[in-house]
Amino acid sequence: SALSSTSTTFNTTQGGSSGEDVSIGYPNLVNFLTFNASLPIFQAQPSLKRIVHFAIDRAIREIINPVVERSVTIAGIATRELVVKDFALEPDENKMRKAAHLMVQSLSGSLASVTSREPLRMSMTQHLRTLFSQNGISEQAIPEQAIFILVADNLELACSVVEKSASEKAIAEIDEGLAHNFLNRRKHRERTGQPYYDFAIYSSSRYPSTLPESLRLKPNGLALQQLRVYEDFARLPRIVAQEQTFAEENVPLQTAQAVDKFTQFLIE
Amino acid sequence: MNINNNNPITQPYSYPPNNQTYDDEEKVYQLLLDLTSVKDREHALLELSKKREAYQDLAPILWHSFGIMSALIQEIIAVYPMLSVGLSSHASNRVCNALALLQCVASHGETRSLFLNAHIPLFLYPFLNTTSKTRPFEYLRLTSLGVIGALVKNDNSDVINFLLSTEIIPLCLRIMETGSELSKTVAIFIVQKILLDDMGLNYICQTYERFYAVGTVLSNMVTQLQSQHSIRLLKHIIRCYLRLSDNSRAREALRQCLPEPLRDATFSQLLKDDATTKRCLATLLVNLSEN
């Protein structure tokens, strides 16, 4: 990676072993790190920021794969089961796909974020401690309390990387999980032009067809009003926050804002 | 729907009673529909969680109606960001009302396996993983445990199979050590139900680490009980040990590590009116004494 050379300006090896991975997985992270005003040492010695970047980058890479994999799997299963049931009489695979995407992204991202928080906090703390000490930075210069502040200020950012990764991977997961449901709808439309009817789901129990009128699925698919439940997944608080704009670019970002900006940056 | 409130004494102004039933049903349908609307949901959650006992087939209706399960999951994940910053009583009550409806779905024979197949219990694990001792968190953990408790209540090996593939045992063990008495009781109930299943017993006794983890927590609970008497917890603890003693390797280990207070008369006062548990304890001691 182009950025690996920057990391040679400080010692990143653990226990002096050679051949340690010194690459940076998330080079852009550096632009979104928060350095609290109560820690002036980072203004005085900007090179220390690289150590922080490296420690957080390493913490993320340490935990991201299993967390993302688990979150995507669970979110994919839950979304598949509920969407297949709710869209049993919906002929339009595009509506189904859209709803499934909104739900699976929200579920996988939320699960990934909540699951990664504590492991990230521990791992970031550990790596910061180790890397500062390996680079000869004393506890007087950066005491334990400063590490605590660094971690608290940047934890949300680290979680957002994991969250974003899960949300993205979840799309492919659900598209695969629902592929034959999409295909069946298209084929059915092309062949018959009759209202769609997922026999396996709709006749799995007596309930779907005996529900009170107001709650029952209707032939010919869902009303726009009904689809709002799925659109609401995109309106959960965290995601709304990303839509805010920043009027005053020069004002130091609050943690939440930095996270939002970073998330936007990842999307672009 | 089974409506139990057309009693003319409690409903003096409803005449004829059938109309009241009809109106009530319509009201419940409207509340169910309201669950799918963000602005009406909170009120509907509150009302339906209060009424849930009165309707036998609420669970299948919750499951099969469009969008309700997805709306309930939305309620769950909306709370995740609050777990690290603090949970208000208001937010806790709201999500617990949603959990109460999920508990309905978990209890009902017609929806239990659908609920499991969709892996919905796993969305509750972040709640079980919290450690804050404040009331909103205690209530959240207790209500979440209630959903898992409802799943295991009916001795269904599919449920046990599912739970064993997840991290429910460590989550329950931690709550058994640090939770409120009520949470501890539900958590040990879940572990006991897992143990009562052959697959569950084998799973826990399969490695020394698993047995040791369970054994240590049970033994710590016995120690705690010496100062805080709880017959309810003691019953479950004794039953867990008794079941563990069905496994030959666990029996061997328990001969060494069964806590002393269960061997001597420490709890005889607490157990004096509970013949069944006394018999369980006696059987346990017999099992451990044989060679």
Side-chain angles (χ1 to χ4, degrees), chain A residues 70 85-86 226 229-230 232, chain B residues 38 63 66-67 70 74 167:
Chain A
R70 179 180 181 277
K85 158 189 95 64
D86 279 349
Q226 291 181 298
V229 182
Y230 284 91
D232 289 335
Chain B
V38 167
W63 182 273
F66 175 85
S70 296
Q74 234 166 58
E167 55 278 36

Side-chain angles (χ1 to χ4, degrees), chain A residues 214-235:
Chain A
S214 56
L215 299 167
R216 200 185 311 156
L217 295 176
K218 310 289 185 300
N220 293 321
L222 299 164
L224 279 178
Q225 180 63 28
Q226 291 181 298
L227 291 170
R228 286 216 359 220
V229 182
Y230 284 91
E231 285 162 14
D232 289 335
F233 276 109
R235 297 197 193 97

Side-chain angles (χ1 to χ4, degrees), chain A residues 1 3-4 7 20-26 54 57-58 61:
Chain A
S1 135
L3 271 147
S4 54
S7 54
E20 186 78 22
D21 177 13
V22 291
S23 65
I24 293 274
Y26 303 92
F54 195 84
D57 185 89
R58 189 177 264 184
R61 286 191 289 153

Side-chain angles (χ1 to χ4, degrees), chain B residues 26 30 36 48 61 64 83 87 117 124 138 151 159-160 165 181 196 198 236 245 255 286 288:
Chain B
E26 286 303 303
Q30 185 57 48
T36 59
L48 285 168
I61 294 180
H64 291 287
L83 299 180
L87 187 63
N117 283 345
L124 277 45
E138 267 300 341
L151 276 176
V159 171
I160 304 299
S165 74
E181 193 197 323
L196 285 173
D198 287 343
H236 288 296
S245 75
R255 286 190 175 124
V286 169
L288 299 188

Side-chain angles (χ1 to χ4, degrees), chain A residues 70 74 77-78 81 85-86 106-107 110-111 117 205 207-208 211-212 214-215 222 226 229-230 232-233 236, chain B residues 29 32-33 36 38 57 60 63-67 69-70 73-74 77 80 84 110 117-119 122-123 126 167:
Chain A
R70 179 180 181 277
I74 297 168
I77 292 170
E81 294 297 311
K85 158 189 95 64
D86 279 349
S106 173
L107 294 189
S110 301
L111 267 181
R117 178 170 295 269
S205 113
Y207 279 98
L211 285 175
S214 56
L215 299 167
L222 299 164
Q226 291 181 298
V229 182
Y230 284 91
D232 289 335
F233 276 109
L236 287 176
Chain B
Y29 298 155
L32 286 161
L33 202 57
T36 59
V38 167
D57 52 0
W63 182 273
H64 291 287
S65 299
F66 175 85
M69 290 307 297
S70 296
I73 296 197
Q74 234 166 58
I77 61 170
Y80 289 172
S84 52
E110 185 119 15
N117 283 345
H119 285 35
L122 294 173
F123 289 89
E167 55 278 36

Side-chain angles (χ1 to χ4, degrees), chain B residues 203-249:
Chain B
Y203 178 90
I204 286 175
C205 298
Q206 200 170 30
T207 70
Y208 183 70
E209 287 71 26
R210 287 178 195 166
F211 170 80
Y212 183 77
V214 174
T216 305
V217 171
L218 288 174
S219 146
N220 290 343
M221 288 179 89
V222 170
T223 309
Q224 285 174 4
L225 275 188
Q226 290 178 269
S227 51
Q228 315 149 11
H229 301 288
S230 161
I231 177 73
R232 200 159 41 169
L233 280 175
L234 183 59
K235 266 184 192 179
H236 288 296
I237 294 169
I238 290 172
R239 277 161 192 277
C240 284
Y241 274 123
L242 177 61
R243 177 59 178 161
L244 282 169
S245 75
D246 286 343
N247 177 286
S248 60
R249 286 201 298 171

